[in-house]
Amino acid sequence: MDMKIRAIAVVLPQFHPIPENDEWWGKGFTEWTNVAKAKPLYKGHYQPHVPSDLGFYDLRLPQAREAQANIAKEHGIHGFCYYHYWFNGKRLLHEPIDGMLELGKPDMPFMLCWANENWTRRWDGKDENVLMKQDYSTADDQKHMEWLCKNVFSDPRYIRVNDCPVFAVYRQDLFPDISKTAVLWRKIAKNYGFKDLYLCVMESFNREIDPVSINFNAAIEFSPHRVLHPEIKPSLIDKIFYKTKLKSKKTFSARSYDMGVEECLNREIPNYKLFRSVTPSFDNTPRKKDGLIALGSSPEKYKFWLKNVCEKFVAFGQDENFIFINAMNEWAEGNHLEPCLKYGKAYLEATQNALKKS
């Protein structure tokens, strides 16, 4: 089935201050706080990642959202998948999405992925300190879906499959009964006049599950976790770093970008609907004291990965034609298409070139 690919880039909205982050991390904290203070941990380590064309933007500003969407569209990206934060009726980091909904701009197709984890101090290595807890209940499932149906899914820009709004869940394994939740969500959506929902589960932490078994429609490969899977042998790490690691309180584990890409490309395709995903690069040491670095990434290698996925692309049906790029702007994870001082627009240009029909 020859259909045009819809490339969806994952977008992190944590580029504006909120009262909760002010309290937990310090006044004015945003994702840029960690990005700007990052330092190289060894000779040749690319840190900090400094934005170029779009600058240190604030996603509360319409101009910033417009510029972000424009540069994505100019390079072949069809739409955005925004992380959505809902904690028993309390939403966080919602101002960019609310502003987009209120103004009807930018003219960019979008969908939501519920990032349904607890918020903790894990960035400081304190996993046990929960800042915002995620609880599950039938009442909250209903309240959540009703809010989505009333406020989000009816937007004409919202991405659909066969007229059904696409909604993704990051951690299905945390639900007490995700299948029951899916049944309820579909019922509510139909009560609000929607044909149905198109539910997707993210394969976070490489958890593979047949989405149909939990009343979902499809799975989305979570490529950052995939590319971080193969560990590099310590002897190879010593060779790469030439024992030039700088003095730092931070430690890190090294991974091979090449090996991660190879594993992804050689993955045995499951018999359920799986939308493939690619990742430009990865280095979350700005965010964590014990971070992970995927060594060896480059715009050329990323282009090779995306081009290979595009060449093997087969749509599952009408509108089921997605490839995900994870991510557009995970700056504190060293994982972004957006232009930086080192590479400029190279990753965006690689995206545009790879998406062209071979």
Side-chain angles (χ1 to χ4, degrees):
M1 189 176 295
D2 186 19
M3 292 185 181
K4 183 177 175 60
I5 293 170
R6 287 196 282 179
I8 309 297
V10 176
V11 174
L12 179 72
Q14 189 161 236
F15 292 91
H16 64 95
I18 61 174
E20 291 80 4
N21 276 337
D22 284 350
E23 178 184 349
W24 298 328
W25 305 105
K27 188 70 174 175
F29 176 89
T30 73
E31 198 76 354
W32 294 126
T33 306
N34 289 328
V35 172
K37 68 183 182 183
K39 292 179 173 60
L41 302 182
Y42 56 87
K43 187 177 180 180
H45 184 202
Y46 174 35
Q47 285 295 348
H49 287 225
V50 179
S52 54
D53 298 46
L54 301 182
F56 290 97
Y57 52 70
D58 184 328
L59 284 181
R60 293 174 299 183
L61 300 176
Q63 300 93 326
R65 298 193 297 268
E66 195 79 34
Q68 184 184 55
N70 285 343
I71 203 167
K73 287 192 290 185
E74 288 166 6
H75 292 89
I77 294 170
H78 172 79
F80 286 158
C81 174
Y82 292 98
Y83 283 125
H84 158 67
Y85 302 90
W86 171 282
F87 298 88
N88 310 107
K90 182 177 179 63
R91 296 166 62 226
L92 296 179
L93 301 173
H94 52 83
E95 290 190 53
I97 294 171
D98 288 352
M100 176 193 63
L101 291 169
E102 182 181 353
L103 296 177
K105 297 178 180 179
D107 183 19
M108 184 72 162
F110 73 97
M111 59 174 281
L112 299 184
C113 173
W114 183 16
N116 61 307
E117 288 184 306
N118 290 337
W119 275 18
T120 71
R121 286 196 179 275
R122 64 178 174 220
W123 295 351
D124 282 351
K126 301 174 183 175
D127 292 351
E128 71 283 356
N129 191 339
V130 176
L131 302 173
M132 184 67 69
K133 194 174 190 314
Q134 190 71 258
D135 291 315
Y136 300 91
S137 68
T138 300
D140 186 64
D141 285 342
Q142 179 165 343
K143 184 178 181 181
H144 190 185
M145 184 49 60
E146 287 179 348
W147 182 87
L148 289 165
C149 289
K150 289 177 185 177
N151 297 284
V152 184
F153 291 164
S154 59
D155 190 288
R157 295 164 295 174
Y158 200 85
I159 294 170
R160 301 185 179 203
V161 168
N162 299 328
D163 207 30
C164 302
V166 180
F167 184 60
V169 172
Y170 178 61
R171 291 284 303 273
Q172 61 81 21
D173 57 299
L174 299 180
F175 285 77
D177 190 342
I178 187 63
S179 182
K180 180 181 175 183
T181 295
V183 171
L184 176 62
W185 281 351
R186 293 182 188 280
K187 180 181 178 181
I188 293 169
K190 290 174 183 177
N191 288 343
Y192 273 87
F194 295 100
K195 181 180 176 182
D196 201 343
L197 295 174
Y198 193 89
L199 297 174
C200 294
V201 56
M202 287 279 190
E203 286 188 344
S204 56
F205 301 99
N206 301 339
R207 293 183 177 92
E208 298 179 19
I209 186 171
D210 184 344
V212 175
S213 70
I214 56 171
N215 289 313
F216 273 53
N217 297 86
I220 299 171
E221 193 172 43
F222 198 80
S223 49
H225 292 165
R226 288 274 168 190
V227 83
L228 292 172
H229 179 247
E231 288 200 47
I232 298 179
K233 294 179 180 179
S235 59
L236 183 56
I237 293 176
D238 288 341
K239 183 179 178 182
I240 293 170
F241 298 151
Y242 300 101
K243 301 185 185 299
T244 58
K245 189 177 175 186
L246 305 180
K247 292 180 180 179
S248 172
K249 293 181 180 178
K250 292 193 174 188
T251 59
F252 61 92
S253 298
R255 302 290 189 268
S256 166
Y257 186 83
D258 289 333
M259 289 171 62
V261 170
E262 185 179 357
E263 278 199 7
C264 284
L265 292 179
N266 293 334
R267 178 184 179 183
E268 185 176 345
I269 302 303
N271 58 7
Y272 52 79
K273 292 178 180 177
L274 172 68
F275 296 116
R276 304 308 300 270
S277 175
V278 297
T279 289
S281 55
F282 196 92
D283 176 357
N284 68 356
T285 55
R287 182 185 279 176
K288 300 186 71 175
K289 286 184 177 178
D290 54 348
L292 291 166
I293 303 173
L295 299 169
S297 62
S298 69
E300 294 75 23
K301 292 176 182 178
Y302 159 75
K303 179 183 174 181
F304 168 80
W305 187 4
L306 178 56
K307 189 171 188 293
N308 194 291
V309 170
C310 289
E311 288 173 349
K312 295 178 180 177
F313 169 82
V314 178
F316 295 113
Q318 185 67 34
D319 297 336
E320 294 175 293
N321 53 349
F322 304 116
I323 286 177
F324 285 81
I325 301 171
N326 194 343
M328 183 73 186
N329 66 338
E330 283 276 11
W331 283 88
E333 291 186 347
N335 175 18
H336 52 88
L337 292 180
E338 290 175 350
C340 64
L341 290 183
K342 179 174 182 177
Y343 291 110
K345 293 182 181 177
Y347 278 100
L348 285 167
E349 291 166 352
T351 303
Q352 185 176 36
N353 292 333
L355 288 170
K356 290 178 181 176
K357 287 284 185 180
S358 300

